[in-house]
Amino acid sequence: MSGARLARLLGGWQTGGRPGSAALAGALRLLVLDGRLPPGTALPAEREVAAALGVSRTLVAAAWDVLRAEDLVRTRRGAGTWTALPGPGRGPDDAGEQPLDLARAAPAAPPAVAHALDAVRGVFAAELAGHGYHDYGLDVLRERLAARYTARGLPTSADQILVTNGAHHALALVLRAFTGPGDRVLVEQPTYPNAIDAITAAHAIPVAVPLLDDGWDLDGIAAALRQAGPRLAYAIVDFHNPTGHLLDADGRDRLARLAARARTPLVVDETLAELDLRAPARPPAPLSGPGTVITIGSAGKSHWGGLRLGWVRADAEVVRRLAAARHAFDLGSPVLEQLVLAELYADPEPALAHRRAELAAQRDVLAAAVREHCPDWAFRVPDGGLSLWCELPGPIGSRLAVAARAVGVRVAPGSRFSAHGGLERWLRLPFTLPGDRLGEAVRRLSLVAASVTGSPGSEGTDGLIPVA
């Protein structure tokens, strides 16, 4: 790895203060622990790193010494320096303890998934006589997804549905079909990190419009649409990830009209739309309106991420365009998983009701734990979705994420949800673990939070945590 490449990965490691060895060590530690610098990655010479970062070689050497003491960097004369992970007994993960994973907002499968698998075994056996490739998805699944949209207030036919390998895959297809290198894509700030990654992977440029304390800045979106001329807009209007906000009917109508007036196709991510935790649940009607509105959805949160299935709902012509674009990625989604999801959507409410009740209880446990153990963290209890968006007492998000690994907790700091860095005062806490594990995770976070408050930092280095 070159010094220039390492500098790019480190990003704004010295933001917020003078460059120091502790800040550089913290930034590199995060890269190693989050897998962006896998064990065995050869590091450039100290002199090259110093030149690339514009710091002294002494500073780099001191940072390397810190990391050697933690067994995250190893050096052998004549062989150079490379990254490593602590040996057995050096950390909770290596000691046999499973980390408390709050980086992925992904619940375990409900019992209905196993029941659906049992129910479709015979149908799957019959499918074995065919070739197994379905460019648009199985007809039965497309019909049932279309029926679900119709029941929620948006009349839909099967030819308006394309089954994909998750909502992330769906967004990648839309980006391939609608954008080119250098095109701008309007996003919210904060927003889903994997959407940012998909946009940058398509060589497009995210243009962020910050959310307000109470939700969407529609005036700001209107201005961005006029001034930036984005080729695409991406929004999560249902129990927004990570803030939990829900855009009301008037806001949905105005957003659709703004995009149509700007002739900007609007991608609406409905991954969390079914997770309305109000009693009784009343999932919002799908956003629709003039212009091109493309809805993407997923079974990953409402049912189980292991199904790896999502979909696009759009005009039939757009669906055909996306189906043609997907041949560069894959040749269709797996049949067995589609049959399972079709079975779940034959009568979707029982499984969804079970999921909602489970998440509502876990949300309340997490909220109580944060109030007890971290009373200086501010948050609002969302009406749906999967997470609390917590405001921290200082810009410590990245440092807290690094320190938490030492106590067996994985967490994604706020800046992971930013298109251009920042949001260091924020932390996303999903309520997808069982209640007892949520309480223990927050207790451990509270223990390390005090130790990083006010300490030299590595702000801006956190856009690396793999999240869901």
Side-chain angles (χ1 to χ4, degrees), residues 422-435:
L423 296 178
E424 279 292 339
R425 293 179 62 92
W426 296 89
L427 189 73
R428 188 190 71 170
L429 294 182
F431 39 84
T432 49
L433 295 178

Side-chain angles (χ1 to χ4, degrees), residues 3 10 73 79 102 112 139 144 152 173 268 283 287 291 293 310 315 320 338 346 372 461 464:
L10 288 167
V73 162
L102 295 181
D139 289 344
R144 288 176 181 173
R152 290 178 53 213
L173 290 176
V268 180
L287 188 152
V293 177
D315 290 343
R320 288 192 292 271
Q338 290 189 71
E372 176 184 357
T461 66
L464 318 168

Side-chain angles (χ1 to χ4, degrees), residues 19 23 86 123 135 144 154-155 163 189 194 206 212-213 233 253 271 279 326 369 372 374 423 441 462:
V123 181
D135 293 348
R144 288 176 181 173
L154 181 60
V163 178
Q189 169 90 334
N194 291 337
L212 304 175
D213 290 342
D253 179 65
T271 297
R326 84 178 296 174
E372 176 184 357
C374 305
L423 296 178
D462 45 85

